[in-house]
């Protein structure tokens, strides 16, 4: 399992900025890079240097998961087996964290469990098929929040962050969705896979995914989001 990382940079703008150099990075699945699918095994290389890619020997079996247009596509269920793709090592976010992701849910939101860990860890959009409702469990601590604004159902840059006081917020294009956010969310959030083994985000596409085990500074957040948006044509 991945734990605490080493600090590498400050929040200052740097010449030759790279997301991989930002303090606390745990994994970086980069748009249209290091992707392979042999019909069974799905691999998406980790560009962070931390050595934690998506490498799942059976995610692609019966076309459950595929790559399309540079994105990981949670295409369809196969009977009772939901589309999901596992990391090599589970990521344990014990305190503050920041997650950046370019995600397209591809249709109207419908109980989209986008992230799941071992035990009782998950993050779900559109809980109960209500577009603005979120549900997440961190180490079994159950939270249900209704945002002031529903997230987009098309390709967009989202950010989930938790600070050192356990205030959790959800952003789209650097703007909080408000309503019940920020919310108090305690407990370790463990991430083992994109998608889930139940109520998975069927039809969703992940274009980019980056995890930090600390609250990324506002300066580095701006640089990271600018870099991601440019690469993903947002």
């Amino acid at each position: 399992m991945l734990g605490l990382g080493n600090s590498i940079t400050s929040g200052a703008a740097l010449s030759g900025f790279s997301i991989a150099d930002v303090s606390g990075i745990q994994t970086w699945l980069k748009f249209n890079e290091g992707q392979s699918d042999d019909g069974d095994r799905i691999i998406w290389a980790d560009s962070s240097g931390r050595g934690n890619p998506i490498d799942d020997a059976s995610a692609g079996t019966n076309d459950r998961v595929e790559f399309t247009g540079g994105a990981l596509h949670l295409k369809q269920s196969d009977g009772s087996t939901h589309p999901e793709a596992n990391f090599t090592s589970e990521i344990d976010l014990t305190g503050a964290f920041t997650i950046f992701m370019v995600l397209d849910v591809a249709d109207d939101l419908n109980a989209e469990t986008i992230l799941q860990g071992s035990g009782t860890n998950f993050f779900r959009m559109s809980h109960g098929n209500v577009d603005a409702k979120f549900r997440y469990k961190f180490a079994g601590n159950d939270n249900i929040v209704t945002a002031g604004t529903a997230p987009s159902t098309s390709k967009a840059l989202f950010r989930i962050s938790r600070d050192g006081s356990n205030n959790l917020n959800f952003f789209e294009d650097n703007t909080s969705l408000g309503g019940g956010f920020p919310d108090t969310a305690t407990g370790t959030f463990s991430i083992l896979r994109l998608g889930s083994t139940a109520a998975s985000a069927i039809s969703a596409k992940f274009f980019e995914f980056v995890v930090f085990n600390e609250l990324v500074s506002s300066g580095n957040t701006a640089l990271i989001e600018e870099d991601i948006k440019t690469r993903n044509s947002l």
Side-chain angles (χ1 to χ4, degrees):
M1 294 191 178
L2 297 183
L4 296 176
N6 296 320
S7 294
I8 301 173
T9 71
S10 70
L14 302 176
S15 176
F17 173 79
S18 172
I19 290 174
D21 293 333
V22 176
S23 173
I25 193 165
Q26 300 296 291
T27 193
W28 176 17
L29 308 179
K30 192 174 182 181
F31 170 64
N32 204 31
E33 287 201 12
Q35 299 172 343
S36 66
D37 173 6
D38 69 2
D40 291 304
R41 184 179 292 275
I42 293 287
I43 297 174
W44 194 354
D46 177 9
S47 294
S48 75
R50 297 279 293 172
N52 195 24
I54 290 285
D55 189 349
D56 192 314
S58 61
T61 301
N62 293 330
D63 217 20
R64 291 194 310 275
V65 178
E66 65 177 1
F67 289 108
T68 181
L72 181 79
H73 182 203
L74 303 178
K75 185 177 180 180
Q76 60 191 5
S77 294
D78 175 25
S80 61
T81 304
H82 286 245
E84 41 89 11
N86 291 295
F87 287 96
T88 299
S89 300
E90 191 161 30
I91 303 167
D92 290 329
L93 302 172
T94 59
F97 65 80
T98 313
I99 298 169
F100 300 86
M101 57 187 172
V102 177
L103 176 66
D104 184 350
V105 296
D107 55 14
D108 287 340
L109 289 167
N110 183 21
E112 312 280 358
T113 305
I114 56 173
L115 305 172
Q116 187 182 41
S118 61
T120 52
N121 281 272
F122 65 80
F123 193 96
R124 179 181 300 156
M125 301 166 70
S126 190
H127 178 61
N129 298 332
V130 177
D131 287 358
K133 187 171 286 188
F134 294 75
R135 184 181 183 186
Y136 35 92
K137 281 189 177 183
F138 300 164
N141 296 318
D142 198 358
N143 293 63
I144 298 175
V145 170
T146 301
T149 302
S152 293
T153 58
S154 57
K155 182 180 177 182
L157 173 59
F158 298 109
R159 183 171 86 248
I160 309 170
S161 66
R162 181 170 69 180
D163 65 19
S165 298
N166 293 315
N167 297 304
L168 185 131
N169 213 337
F170 190 95
F171 300 83
E172 178 175 340
D173 197 18
N174 201 36
T175 299
S176 172
L177 295 188
F181 291 115
D183 176 45
T184 300
T186 60
T188 296
F189 181 29
S190 297
I191 302 171
L192 181 59
R193 60 182 61 94
L194 304 183
S196 72
T197 56
S200 189
I202 295 171
S203 296
K205 296 175 184 175
F206 285 87
F207 290 82
E208 193 144 344
F209 186 76
V210 196
V211 179
F212 296 86
N213 64 0
E214 59 184 67
L215 184 66
V216 175
S217 70
S218 58
N220 273 336
T221 291
L223 291 168
I224 290 167
E225 294 200 337
E226 179 182 2
D227 182 26
I228 290 174
K229 289 171 71 174
T230 298
R231 185 165 39 258
N232 287 273
S233 301
L234 289 172

